[in-house]
Short mmCIF file of all heavy atoms in Angstrom, two decimals:
data_model
loop_
_atom_site.label_atom_id
_atom_site.label_comp_id
_atom_site.label_asym_id
_atom_site.label_seq_id
_atom_site.Cartn_x
_atom_site.Cartn_y
_atom_site.Cartn_z
N ALA A 247 3.84 1.86 -1.57
CA ALA A 247 4.42 2.22 -2.84
C ALA A 247 3.40 2.95 -3.70
O ALA A 247 3.71 3.98 -4.31
CB ALA A 247 5.00 0.98 -3.48
N ALA A 259 -2.26 21.25 -12.47
CA ALA A 259 -2.76 21.08 -13.89
C ALA A 259 -2.54 22.53 -14.45
O ALA A 259 -2.91 23.47 -13.94
CB ALA A 259 -4.08 20.64 -13.96
N PRO A 267 -16.17 15.63 -11.26
CA PRO A 267 -16.63 14.35 -10.73
C PRO A 267 -18.08 14.30 -10.25
O PRO A 267 -18.66 15.35 -9.98
CB PRO A 267 -15.72 14.09 -9.47
CG PRO A 267 -15.31 15.43 -9.06
CD PRO A 267 -15.22 16.17 -10.45
N THR A 268 -18.69 13.10 -10.24
CA THR A 268 -20.02 13.03 -9.78
C THR A 268 -20.11 13.34 -8.32
O THR A 268 -18.99 13.24 -7.52
CB THR A 268 -20.62 11.76 -9.92
OG1 THR A 268 -19.96 10.64 -9.15
CG2 THR A 268 -20.61 11.31 -11.47
N GLN A 274 -16.67 10.26 -1.91
CA GLN A 274 -15.71 9.22 -1.61
C GLN A 274 -14.30 9.51 -1.53
O GLN A 274 -13.51 9.35 -0.57
CB GLN A 274 -15.88 8.07 -2.72
CG GLN A 274 -15.01 6.77 -2.39
CD GLN A 274 -15.10 5.85 -3.59
OE1 GLN A 274 -15.54 6.12 -4.58
NE2 GLN A 274 -14.90 4.56 -3.08
N GLY A 281 -9.58 11.24 6.16
CA GLY A 281 -9.13 10.21 7.01
C GLY A 281 -9.98 9.94 8.25
O GLY A 281 -11.01 10.51 8.45
N GLN A 303 -22.26 33.39 -10.79
CA GLN A 303 -22.68 33.97 -9.46
C GLN A 303 -21.47 33.99 -8.48
O GLN A 303 -21.47 34.87 -7.62
CB GLN A 303 -23.72 32.90 -8.90
CG GLN A 303 -25.12 33.00 -9.47
CD GLN A 303 -25.21 32.43 -10.88
OE1 GLN A 303 -24.42 31.62 -11.25
NE2 GLN A 303 -26.07 32.95 -11.78
N SER A 338 -12.94 38.24 -12.23
CA SER A 338 -13.27 37.17 -11.37
C SER A 338 -13.92 35.89 -12.12
O SER A 338 -13.78 34.84 -11.69
CB SER A 338 -14.30 37.69 -10.31
OG SER A 338 -13.79 38.69 -9.49
N ALA A 340 -13.12 34.86 -15.03
CA ALA A 340 -12.04 34.07 -15.67
C ALA A 340 -11.52 33.28 -14.50
O ALA A 340 -11.09 31.99 -14.79
CB ALA A 340 -11.01 35.04 -16.30
N ARG A 354 -12.96 26.40 9.61
CA ARG A 354 -13.91 26.57 10.73
C ARG A 354 -13.33 26.29 12.03
O ARG A 354 -13.32 25.14 12.44
CB ARG A 354 -15.24 25.77 10.42
CG ARG A 354 -14.87 24.21 10.26
CD ARG A 354 -16.29 23.41 10.19
NE ARG A 354 -15.98 22.01 10.08
CZ ARG A 354 -16.81 21.14 9.84
NH1 ARG A 354 -18.03 21.47 9.70
NH2 ARG A 354 -16.58 19.86 9.75
N ARG A 367 -5.89 26.69 11.91
CA ARG A 367 -5.81 27.37 10.51
C ARG A 367 -4.76 26.79 9.59
O ARG A 367 -5.03 26.50 8.50
CB ARG A 367 -5.66 28.93 10.59
CG ARG A 367 -5.95 29.63 9.34
CD ARG A 367 -5.68 31.19 9.49
NE ARG A 367 -6.15 31.73 8.37
CZ ARG A 367 -5.36 32.02 7.19
NH1 ARG A 367 -4.20 31.45 7.14
NH2 ARG A 367 -5.88 32.59 6.20
N HIS A 374 -5.55 21.09 1.81
CA HIS A 374 -5.66 21.25 0.19
C HIS A 374 -4.68 20.37 -0.42
O HIS A 374 -4.85 19.81 -1.56
CB HIS A 374 -5.65 22.63 -0.19
CG HIS A 374 -4.21 23.27 -0.40
ND1 HIS A 374 -3.47 22.91 -1.50
CD2 HIS A 374 -3.62 24.07 0.30
CE1 HIS A 374 -2.33 23.67 -1.51
NE2 HIS A 374 -2.24 24.33 -0.26
N THR A 375 -3.46 20.07 0.19
CA THR A 375 -2.39 19.34 -0.36
C THR A 375 -2.91 17.90 -0.48
O THR A 375 -2.69 17.15 -1.46
CB THR A 375 -1.18 19.41 0.44
OG1 THR A 375 -0.70 20.68 0.51
CG2 THR A 375 0.03 18.61 -0.23
N GLU A 378 -5.70 17.56 -2.94
CA GLU A 378 -5.09 17.62 -4.34
C GLU A 378 -4.53 16.17 -4.69
O GLU A 378 -4.61 15.74 -5.83
CB GLU A 378 -4.00 18.65 -4.47
CG GLU A 378 -3.44 18.83 -5.69
CD GLU A 378 -2.41 20.00 -5.80
OE1 GLU A 378 -2.18 20.66 -4.87
OE2 GLU A 378 -1.73 20.11 -6.76
N ALA A 380 -5.31 13.22 -3.47
CA ALA A 380 -6.44 12.33 -3.63
C ALA A 380 -7.10 12.42 -4.84
O ALA A 380 -7.34 11.47 -5.71
CB ALA A 380 -7.41 12.42 -2.50
N GLN A 398 -15.84 40.77 1.88
CA GLN A 398 -15.89 39.40 2.56
C GLN A 398 -17.26 39.08 2.91
O GLN A 398 -17.74 37.91 2.88
CB GLN A 398 -14.94 39.32 3.73
CG GLN A 398 -13.51 39.31 3.22
CD GLN A 398 -13.09 38.01 2.45
OE1 GLN A 398 -13.66 36.90 2.60
NE2 GLN A 398 -12.24 38.09 1.57
N HIS A 402 -19.29 35.66 2.13
CA HIS A 402 -19.75 34.84 3.21
C HIS A 402 -21.27 34.63 2.92
O HIS A 402 -21.73 33.43 3.18
CB HIS A 402 -19.51 35.55 4.46
CG HIS A 402 -18.07 35.29 5.07
ND1 HIS A 402 -17.78 34.92 6.33
CD2 HIS A 402 -16.81 35.25 4.39
CE1 HIS A 402 -16.59 34.77 6.44
NE2 HIS A 402 -16.00 34.96 5.33
N GLU A 412 -13.85 31.13 7.46
CA GLU A 412 -13.06 31.92 6.58
C GLU A 412 -12.69 30.96 5.38
O GLU A 412 -12.29 29.80 5.49
CB GLU A 412 -11.70 32.34 7.29
CG GLU A 412 -10.69 32.88 6.50
CD GLU A 412 -9.30 33.01 7.08
OE1 GLU A 412 -9.25 32.72 8.27
OE2 GLU A 412 -8.37 33.46 6.42
N ILE A 413 -12.74 31.54 4.18
CA ILE A 413 -12.40 30.79 3.03
C ILE A 413 -10.95 30.92 2.73
O ILE A 413 -10.44 32.08 2.65
CB ILE A 413 -13.11 31.32 1.76
CG1 ILE A 413 -14.63 30.93 1.90
CG2 ILE A 413 -12.68 30.77 0.46
CD1 ILE A 413 -15.54 31.37 0.70
N ALA A 425 -2.90 15.90 -24.05
CA ALA A 425 -1.55 16.22 -24.35
C ALA A 425 -0.68 16.59 -23.02
O ALA A 425 0.51 16.20 -22.89
CB ALA A 425 -1.42 17.45 -25.27
N ALA A 431 3.34 12.39 -17.76
CA ALA A 431 3.76 10.98 -17.59
C ALA A 431 5.12 10.79 -18.06
O ALA A 431 5.86 9.93 -17.52
CB ALA A 431 2.79 10.09 -18.23
N GLY A 433 7.51 13.14 -18.19
CA GLY A 433 8.34 14.18 -17.64
C GLY A 433 9.52 13.60 -16.66
O GLY A 433 9.54 12.39 -16.41
#
Side-chain angles (χ1 to χ4, degrees):
T268 65
Q274 183 180 24
Q303 288 76 22
S338 296
R354 54 175 185 185
R367 191 179 187 279
H374 85 80
T375 303
E378 183 180 352
Q398 289 294 328
H402 275 223
E412 173 192 357
I413 294 181

